[in-house]
Amino acid sequence: AAGVIQSPRHLIKEKRETATLKCYPIPRHDTVYWYQQGPGQDPQFLISFYEKMQSDKGSIPDRFSAQQFSDYHSELNMSSLELGDSALYFCASSFSGSSYEQYFGPGTRLTVT
Amino acid sequence: GEDVEQSLFLSVREGDSSVINCTYTDSSSTYLYWYKQEPGAGLQLLTYIFSNMDMKQDQRLTVLLNKKDKHLSLRIADTQTGDSAIYFCAEEWDTDKLIFGTGTRLQVFP
């Protein structure tokens, strides 16, 4: 079965650079969620989109922005990167008709040097 | 409340049962979840339980929910070495976002 696809899988950036993470949800899923997992920590909710509109916002820095496109894929844009942004970034998707099942992608490991 | 707590480590012998516990604070959560994360990998949805249920069984997995005490547990029967991973409980909070527990590292030894 098709799963959530994230790209790139690994990304190395320097401080103050920008990064764009992409997420392709499971076909027919209309809701996308972004989570950040720091080393040895639990995943923290960043932001979510339903039908291309932002539906909820968590602890997402102002330096980050995200959007969902007409094909339901989503991009997380991160600017002025800081060392503390180094983490695993997960995207999850669900279908609004059964939103209790969130399926996670493999994650993008971002390293800021 | 957004605090979801779990014990950090659990070590069991192969073939024994494992019980991973979780306490949560938001009594209005509709669904509660268990995710598995292997080293360097993503989060795999194992199972979930609706808040009006007490128990759910899915093959080797049994979820028990005590809503009064806000306590959730995951029992893995006949634990195998391939079950070694970090297990996160999560509660659905507000508009479907998940609040994760601190994670329990399960180590299975032969």
Side-chain angles (χ1 to χ4, degrees), chain B residues 21-41:
Chain B
N21 295 303
C22 169
T23 57
Y24 61 98
T25 57
D26 189 355
S27 59
S28 63
S29 295
T30 308
Y31 290 93
L32 295 132
Y33 304 80
W34 284 103
Y35 282 86
K36 175 184 179 183
Q37 186 175 35
E38 297 184 65

Side-chain angles (χ1 to χ4, degrees), chain B residues 12-16 18 36 38-39 60 76-87 106-110:
Chain B
V12 300
R13 189 182 300 277
E14 191 174 20
D16 287 351
S18 308
K36 175 184 179 183
E38 297 184 65
R60 292 192 298 124
I76 305 173
D78 187 26
T79 313
Q80 303 297 308
T81 54
D83 295 324
S84 294
I86 298 176
Y87 290 79
L106 172 65
Q107 184 176 12
V108 182
F109 57 93

Side-chain angles (χ1 to χ4, degrees), chain A:
Chain A
V4 177
I5 297 172
Q6 290 187 247
S7 68
R9 293 294 310 278
H10 301 273
L11 191 58
I12 300 174
K13 291 284 185 178
E14 294 187 356
K15 281 196 314 184
R16 292 180 289 277
E17 284 192 319
T18 61
T20 297
L21 279 53
K22 296 184 180 183
C23 168
Y24 298 87
I26 292 171
R28 292 189 299 280
H29 281 194
D30 50 14
T31 307
V32 168
Y33 312 79
W34 286 97
Y35 293 83
Q36 178 193 56
Q37 185 179 29
Q41 297 181 0
D42 54 287
Q44 297 289 319
F45 172 76
L46 292 178
I47 196 166
S48 62
F49 292 88
Y50 165 66
E51 283 291 344
K52 293 150 279 184
M53 299 286 289
Q54 180 182 308
S55 59
D56 200 3
K57 195 171 181 179
S59 50
I60 183 169
D62 292 340
R63 301 177 288 107
F64 294 7
S65 65
Q67 56 182 325
Q68 186 180 32
F69 295 85
S70 56
D71 63 351
Y72 296 106
H73 94 272
S74 178
E75 295 183 2
L76 177 65
N77 299 292
M78 310 159 72
S79 62
S80 302
L81 287 169
E82 302 173 357
L83 295 178
D85 296 328
S86 295
L88 199 51
Y89 290 84
F90 288 110
C91 170
S93 75
S94 69
F95 171 59
S96 55
S98 59
S99 59
Y100 45 84
E101 295 183 349
Q102 287 189 29
Y103 293 92
F104 282 72
T108 294
R109 184 171 295 282
L110 173 66
T111 303
V112 182
T113 62

Side-chain angles (χ1 to χ4, degrees), chain B residues 41-52:
Chain B
L43 293 156
Q44 176 191 352
L45 175 62
L46 287 178
T47 187
Y48 59 88
I49 187 168
F50 189 47
S51 59
N52 69 352

